Amino acid sequence: MKFFKLANRFKRDEDGAVTVDWVVLTSAVVGLAIAVLATVQKGTLALGDTISNDLKSRTVIEY
């Protein structure tokens, strides 16, 4: 009889299902972030180079 009570309690317990939901959600967010970073990386590097070259070409006027 004790085994059936234990089996029924295990069947009603949803803690593991919630953990799986959070793991799936977290992995989806991480995957989306990696996809966004891969998409904007080239443009970001080009913009950084443009800003760097512009700053190198400027001179500072001292009074």
Side-chain angles (χ1 to χ4, degrees):
M1 198 65 175
K2 185 177 180 182
F3 174 74
F4 291 116
K5 288 182 182 179
L6 181 63
N8 284 334
R9 190 173 70 199
F10 179 74
K11 185 172 68 172
R12 288 191 309 264
D13 189 16
E14 295 184 5
D15 289 341
V18 173
T19 302
V20 171
D21 291 343
W22 278 108
V23 168
V24 170
L25 181 63
T26 303
S27 64
V29 169
V30 168
L32 183 61
I34 290 172
V36 168
L37 287 174
T39 303
V40 300
Q41 180 181 12
K42 187 175 181 180
T44 304
L45 290 174
L47 180 62
D49 289 339
T50 302
I51 292 171
S52 176
N53 292 333
D54 185 52
L55 290 174
K56 285 178 187 176
S57 67
R58 295 181 183 261
T59 58
V60 177
I61 299 174
E62 295 182 23
Y63 293 101

Coordinates of all heavy atoms in Angstrom, one line a residue:
M1 N 0.8 -1.2 0.0 CA 0.0 0.0 0.0 C 0.9 1.3 0.0 O 0.5 2.2 -0.6 CB -0.9 -0.1 1.2 CG -2.1 0.9 1.1 SD -3.1 0.3 -0.2 CE -4.4 1.4 -0.1
K2 N 2.0 1.2 0.7 CA 2.9 2.3 0.8 C 3.4 2.7 -0.6 O 3.6 3.8 -1.0 CB 4.0 2.1 1.8 CG 4.9 3.2 2.0 CD 5.9 2.9 3.1 CE 6.8 4.1 3.3 NZ 7.9 3.8 4.3
F3 N 3.7 1.6 -1.4 CA 4.2 1.8 -2.8 C 3.2 2.6 -3.6 O 3.6 3.5 -4.4 CB 4.6 0.5 -3.4 CG 5.0 0.6 -4.8 CD1 6.2 1.1 -5.2 CD2 4.1 0.3 -5.9 CE1 6.6 1.2 -6.5 CE2 4.5 0.4 -7.2 CZ 5.7 0.9 -7.5
F4 N 2.0 2.3 -3.5 CA 1.0 3.0 -4.3 C 0.8 4.5 -3.9 O 0.7 5.4 -4.8 CB -0.4 2.3 -4.2 CG -0.4 1.0 -4.9 CD1 -0.6 -0.2 -4.1 CD2 -0.2 0.8 -6.2 CE1 -0.6 -1.4 -4.7 CE2 -0.2 -0.4 -6.9 CZ -0.4 -1.5 -6.1
K5 N 0.9 4.8 -2.6 CA 0.9 6.1 -2.2 C 2.1 6.9 -2.7 O 2.0 8.0 -3.2 CB 0.9 6.2 -0.6 CG -0.4 5.8 0.0 CD -0.3 6.0 1.5 CE -1.6 5.5 2.1 NZ -1.6 5.7 3.6
L6 N 3.3 6.3 -2.7 CA 4.5 6.9 -3.2 C 4.4 7.1 -4.7 O 4.8 8.1 -5.2 CB 5.7 6.0 -2.9 CG 7.1 6.5 -3.3 CD1 7.4 7.8 -2.6 CD2 8.1 5.5 -3.1
A7 N 3.8 6.1 -5.4 CA 3.7 6.2 -6.9 C 2.7 7.3 -7.2 O 3.0 8.1 -8.2 CB 3.2 4.9 -7.5
N8 N 1.6 7.5 -6.5 CA 0.7 8.5 -6.8 C 1.2 9.9 -6.5 O 1.0 10.9 -7.2 CB -0.6 8.3 -6.0 CG -1.5 7.2 -6.5 OD1 -1.4 6.9 -7.7 ND2 -2.3 6.6 -5.7
R9 N 2.0 10.0 -5.4 CA 2.6 11.3 -5.1 C 3.6 11.7 -6.2 O 3.7 12.8 -6.6 CB 3.3 11.2 -3.7 CG 3.7 12.6 -3.2 CD 4.2 12.6 -1.8 NE 5.5 11.8 -1.8 CZ 6.0 11.3 -0.7 NH1 5.4 11.4 0.4 NH2 7.1 10.7 -0.8
F10 N 4.4 10.7 -6.6 CA 5.4 11.0 -7.7 C 4.7 11.4 -9.0 O 5.2 12.3 -9.7 CB 6.2 9.7 -7.9 CG 7.2 9.9 -9.0 CD1 8.4 10.6 -8.8 CD2 7.0 9.3 -10.3 CE1 9.3 10.8 -9.8 CE2 7.9 9.4 -11.3 CZ 9.1 10.2 -11.1
K11 N 3.6 10.8 -9.3 CA 2.8 11.2 -10.5 C 2.3 12.6 -10.4 O 2.2 13.3 -11.4 CB 1.7 10.1 -10.7 CG 0.9 10.3 -12.0 CD -0.1 9.2 -12.2 CE -1.2 9.2 -11.2 NZ -2.2 8.3 -11.5
R12 N 1.8 13.0 -9.2 CA 1.3 14.4 -9.1 C 2.4 15.5 -9.0 O 2.1 16.6 -9.2 CB 0.4 14.4 -7.8 CG -0.9 13.7 -8.0 CD -1.8 14.0 -6.8 NE -1.2 13.8 -5.5 CZ -1.3 12.7 -4.8 NH1 -2.0 11.7 -5.2 NH2 -0.7 12.6 -3.6
D13 N 3.6 15.1 -8.6 CA 4.7 16.1 -8.4 C 5.1 16.6 -9.8 O 5.4 15.9 -10.7 CB 5.9 15.4 -7.8 CG 6.9 16.4 -7.4 OD1 6.6 17.6 -7.3 OD2 8.1 15.9 -7.1
E14 N 5.1 18.0 -9.9 CA 5.4 18.6 -11.2 C 6.7 19.4 -11.1 O 7.0 20.2 -12.0 CB 4.2 19.6 -11.5 CG 2.9 18.8 -11.8 CD 1.8 19.8 -12.3 OE1 2.1 21.0 -12.5 OE2 0.7 19.3 -12.5
D15 N 7.5 19.3 -10.1 CA 8.7 20.0 -9.9 C 9.7 19.8 -11.1 O 10.3 20.7 -11.6 CB 9.4 19.7 -8.6 CG 8.7 20.3 -7.4 OD1 7.9 21.2 -7.7 OD2 8.9 19.9 -6.3
G16 N 9.8 18.5 -11.5 CA 10.7 18.2 -12.6 C 10.2 18.8 -13.9 O 11.0 19.2 -14.8
A17 N 8.9 18.9 -14.1 CA 8.3 19.4 -15.4 C 8.6 20.9 -15.4 O 8.9 21.5 -16.5 CB 6.8 19.2 -15.5
V18 N 8.5 21.6 -14.3 CA 8.9 23.0 -14.3 C 10.3 23.3 -14.6 O 10.7 24.2 -15.3 CB 8.5 23.6 -12.9 CG1 8.9 25.1 -12.8 CG2 7.0 23.5 -12.7
T19 N 11.2 22.4 -14.1 CA 12.6 22.5 -14.3 C 12.9 22.4 -15.8 O 13.7 23.1 -16.4 CB 13.4 21.5 -13.5 OG1 13.1 21.6 -12.2 CG2 14.9 21.6 -13.8
V20 N 12.3 21.4 -16.5 CA 12.4 21.2 -17.9 C 12.0 22.4 -18.7 O 12.6 22.8 -19.6 CB 11.7 19.9 -18.3 CG1 11.7 19.8 -19.9 CG2 12.3 18.7 -17.7
D21 N 10.8 23.0 -18.3 CA 10.3 24.2 -18.9 C 11.4 25.3 -18.9 O 11.6 26.0 -19.9 CB 9.0 24.6 -18.3 CG 7.9 23.7 -18.6 OD1 8.0 22.9 -19.5 OD2 6.8 23.8 -17.9
W22 N 11.9 25.5 -17.7 CA 12.9 26.6 -17.5 C 14.2 26.3 -18.3 O 14.8 27.2 -18.9 CB 13.3 26.8 -16.1 CG 12.3 27.7 -15.4 CD1 11.3 27.3 -14.5 CD2 12.1 29.1 -15.5 NE1 10.6 28.3 -14.1 CE2 11.0 29.5 -14.7 CE3 12.7 30.0 -16.3 CZ2 10.6 30.8 -14.7 CZ3 12.3 31.4 -16.3 CH2 11.2 31.7 -15.4
V23 N 14.6 25.1 -18.4 CA 15.8 24.7 -19.2 C 15.6 25.0 -20.7 O 16.4 25.6 -21.4 CB 16.2 23.3 -18.9 CG1 17.2 22.8 -20.0 CG2 16.7 23.1 -17.5
V24 N 14.4 24.6 -21.2 CA 14.1 24.8 -22.6 C 14.0 26.3 -22.9 O 14.5 26.8 -23.9 CB 12.7 24.1 -22.9 CG1 12.2 24.5 -24.3 CG2 12.9 22.6 -22.9
L25 N 13.3 27.1 -22.0 CA 13.2 28.5 -22.2 C 14.6 29.2 -22.1 O 14.8 30.1 -23.0 CB 12.3 29.1 -21.1 CG 12.0 30.6 -21.1 CD1 11.3 31.0 -22.4 CD2 11.2 31.0 -19.9
T26 N 15.4 28.8 -21.2 CA 16.7 29.4 -21.1 C 17.6 29.1 -22.3 O 18.3 30.0 -22.9 CB 17.4 28.9 -19.8 OG1 16.6 29.2 -18.7 CG2 18.8 29.6 -19.7
S27 N 17.5 27.9 -22.8 CA 18.3 27.5 -24.0 C 17.8 28.3 -25.2 O 18.6 28.6 -26.1 CB 18.3 26.0 -24.2 OG 17.0 25.6 -24.5
A28 N 16.5 28.5 -25.3 CA 15.9 29.3 -26.4 C 16.4 30.7 -26.4 O 16.8 31.3 -27.4 CB 14.4 29.2 -26.4
V29 N 16.5 31.3 -25.2 CA 16.9 32.7 -25.1 C 18.4 32.8 -25.4 O 18.9 33.7 -26.1 CB 16.7 33.2 -23.7 CG1 17.4 34.5 -23.4 CG2 15.2 33.4 -23.4
V30 N 19.2 31.8 -25.0 CA 20.6 31.8 -25.3 C 20.9 31.6 -26.8 O 21.7 32.3 -27.4 CB 21.4 30.7 -24.5 CG1 22.8 30.5 -25.0 CG2 21.4 31.1 -23.0
G31 N 20.1 30.7 -27.4 CA 20.2 30.5 -28.8 C 19.8 31.8 -29.6 O 20.5 32.1 -30.6
L32 N 18.8 32.4 -29.2 CA 18.4 33.7 -29.9 C 19.5 34.8 -29.7 O 19.8 35.5 -30.7 CB 17.1 34.2 -29.3 CG 16.5 35.4 -29.9 CD1 16.2 35.2 -31.4 CD2 15.2 35.8 -29.2
A33 N 20.1 34.9 -28.5 CA 21.1 35.8 -28.3 C 22.3 35.5 -29.2 O 23.0 36.5 -29.8 CB 21.5 35.8 -26.8
I34 N 22.7 34.3 -29.3 CA 23.8 33.9 -30.2 C 23.5 34.3 -31.7 O 24.4 34.8 -32.4 CB 24.2 32.4 -30.0 CG1 24.8 32.2 -28.6 CG2 25.1 31.9 -31.1 CD1 25.0 30.8 -28.3
A35 N 22.3 34.0 -32.1 CA 21.9 34.3 -33.5 C 22.0 35.8 -33.7 O 22.4 36.3 -34.8 CB 20.5 33.8 -33.7
V36 N 21.5 36.6 -32.7 CA 21.5 38.1 -32.9 C 23.0 38.6 -32.9 O 23.3 39.4 -33.8 CB 20.7 38.8 -31.8 CG1 21.0 40.3 -31.7 CG2 19.3 38.5 -31.9
L37 N 23.8 38.1 -32.0 CA 25.2 38.5 -32.0 C 25.9 38.1 -33.3 O 26.7 38.9 -33.9 CB 25.9 37.9 -30.9 CG 25.6 38.5 -29.5 CD1 26.3 37.7 -28.4 CD2 26.0 39.9 -29.4
A38 N 25.6 37.0 -33.9 CA 26.3 36.6 -35.1 C 25.8 37.4 -36.3 O 26.5 37.7 -37.2 CB 25.9 35.1 -35.4
T39 N 24.6 37.9 -36.2 CA 24.0 38.7 -37.3 C 24.6 40.1 -37.3 O 24.9 40.7 -38.3 CB 22.5 38.8 -37.1 OG1 21.9 37.5 -37.2 CG2 21.9 39.7 -38.2
V40 N 24.8 40.7 -36.1 CA 25.2 42.1 -36.0 C 26.7 42.3 -35.8 O 27.2 43.4 -35.8 CB 24.5 42.9 -34.9 CG1 23.0 42.9 -35.1 CG2 24.8 42.4 -33.5
Q41 N 27.5 41.2 -35.7 CA 28.9 41.3 -35.5 C 29.6 42.0 -36.6 O 30.5 42.9 -36.3 CB 29.5 39.9 -35.3 CG 30.9 39.8 -35.0 CD 31.5 38.4 -34.8 OE1 30.8 37.5 -35.2 NE2 32.7 38.3 -34.4
K42 N 29.4 41.7 -37.8 CA 30.1 42.3 -38.9 C 29.9 43.8 -39.0 O 30.8 44.6 -39.1 CB 29.7 41.6 -40.2 CG 30.6 42.1 -41.4 CD 30.2 41.3 -42.7 CE 31.0 41.8 -43.8 NZ 30.7 41.0 -45.0
G43 N 28.7 44.2 -38.8 CA 28.3 45.6 -38.9 C 28.9 46.4 -37.7 O 29.4 47.5 -37.8
T44 N 28.9 45.7 -36.5 CA 29.5 46.4 -35.3 C 31.0 46.6 -35.5 O 31.5 47.6 -35.1 CB 29.1 45.5 -34.1 OG1 27.7 45.3 -34.0 CG2 29.6 46.2 -32.8
L45 N 31.7 45.6 -36.0 CA 33.1 45.7 -36.2 C 33.4 46.8 -37.2 O 34.4 47.6 -37.0 CB 33.7 44.3 -36.6 CG 33.7 43.3 -35.6 CD1 34.2 41.9 -36.2 CD2 34.6 43.7 -34.4
A46 N 32.6 46.9 -38.3 CA 32.9 47.9 -39.3 C 32.6 49.3 -38.7 O 33.4 50.2 -39.0 CB 32.0 47.7 -40.5
L47 N 31.6 49.4 -37.9 CA 31.3 50.7 -37.3 C 32.4 51.1 -36.3 O 32.8 52.3 -36.3 CB 30.0 50.7 -36.6 CG 29.5 51.9 -35.9 CD1 29.4 53.1 -36.8 CD2 28.2 51.7 -35.1
G48 N 32.9 50.1 -35.6 CA 34.0 50.4 -34.7 C 35.3 50.8 -35.4 O 36.0 51.8 -35.0
D49 N 35.6 50.2 -36.5 CA 36.7 50.6 -37.3 C 36.5 52.0 -37.9 O 37.5 52.8 -37.9 CB 36.9 49.6 -38.5 CG 37.5 48.3 -38.0 OD1 38.0 48.2 -36.9 OD2 37.3 47.3 -38.8
T50 N 35.3 52.4 -38.3 CA 35.1 53.7 -38.9 C 35.3 54.8 -37.8 O 35.9 55.8 -38.0 CB 33.6 53.8 -39.4 OG1 33.5 52.8 -40.4 CG2 33.3 55.1 -40.0
I51 N 34.7 54.5 -36.6 CA 34.9 55.5 -35.5 C 36.4 55.6 -35.1 O 36.9 56.7 -34.9 CB 34.0 55.0 -34.3 CG1 32.6 55.1 -34.6 CG2 34.4 55.8 -33.1 CD1 31.6 54.5 -33.6
S52 N 37.1 54.5 -35.0 CA 38.5 54.5 -34.7 C 39.3 55.3 -35.7 O 40.1 56.1 -35.3 CB 39.0 53.1 -34.6 OG 40.4 53.1 -34.3
N53 N 39.1 55.1 -37.0 CA 39.8 55.8 -38.0 C 39.5 57.3 -38.0 O 40.3 58.1 -38.2 CB 39.5 55.2 -39.4 CG 40.1 53.9 -39.6 OD1 41.0 53.5 -38.9 ND2 39.4 53.1 -40.4
D54 N 38.2 57.6 -37.7 CA 37.8 59.1 -37.6 C 38.5 59.7 -36.4 O 39.0 60.9 -36.5 CB 36.3 59.2 -37.5 CG 35.9 60.6 -37.5 OD1 36.2 61.4 -38.4 OD2 35.1 61.0 -36.5
L55 N 38.6 59.0 -35.3 CA 39.2 59.6 -34.1 C 40.7 59.8 -34.3 O 41.4 60.7 -33.8 CB 38.9 58.8 -32.9 CG 37.5 58.8 -32.4 CD1 37.3 57.8 -31.2 CD2 37.1 60.2 -31.9
K56 N 41.3 58.8 -35.0 CA 42.8 58.9 -35.3 C 43.1 60.1 -36.2 O 44.2 60.7 -36.1 CB 43.3 57.6 -36.0 CG 43.4 56.5 -35.0 CD 43.8 55.2 -35.8 CE 43.8 54.0 -34.9 NZ 44.1 52.8 -35.6
S57 N 42.2 60.5 -37.1 CA 42.5 61.5 -38.0 C 42.3 62.9 -37.4 O 42.6 63.9 -38.0 CB 41.6 61.4 -39.3 OG 40.2 61.6 -38.9
R58 N 41.7 63.0 -36.3 CA 41.4 64.3 -35.7 C 42.6 64.8 -34.8 O 43.4 64.0 -34.3 CB 40.2 64.3 -34.8 CG 38.9 64.0 -35.6 CD 37.7 63.9 -34.7 NE 36.5 63.6 -35.5 CZ 35.7 64.5 -35.9 NH1 35.8 65.8 -35.6 NH2 34.6 64.1 -36.6
T59 N 42.7 66.1 -34.7 CA 43.8 66.6 -33.9 C 43.2 67.4 -32.7 O 42.0 67.9 -32.8 CB 44.7 67.6 -34.7 OG1 43.8 68.6 -35.2 CG2 45.4 66.9 -35.8
V60 N 43.9 67.5 -31.6 CA 43.5 68.2 -30.4 C 44.1 69.5 -30.4 O 45.3 69.7 -30.5 CB 43.8 67.4 -29.2 CG1 43.4 68.1 -27.9 CG2 43.2 66.0 -29.2
I61 N 43.3 70.6 -30.2 CA 43.8 71.9 -30.2 C 44.0 72.3 -28.7 O 43.1 72.2 -27.9 CB 42.8 72.9 -30.8 CG1 42.6 72.6 -32.3 CG2 43.4 74.4 -30.7 CD1 41.6 73.4 -33.0
E62 N 45.3 72.7 -28.4 CA 45.6 73.1 -27.0 C 45.7 74.6 -27.0 O 46.2 75.2 -27.8 CB 46.9 72.5 -26.6 CG 46.8 70.9 -26.5 CD 48.1 70.3 -26.0 OE1 48.9 71.0 -25.3 OE2 48.3 69.1 -26.3
Y63 N 45.2 75.2 -25.9 CA 45.2 76.6 -25.7 C 46.3 77.0 -24.7 O 46.5 76.4 -23.8 CB 43.9 77.2 -25.3 CG 42.8 77.1 -26.4 CD1 41.9 76.1 -26.4 CD2 42.8 78.0 -27.5 CE1 40.9 76.0 -27.4 CE2 41.9 77.9 -28.5 CZ 40.9 76.9 -28.4 OH 40.0 76.8 -29.4

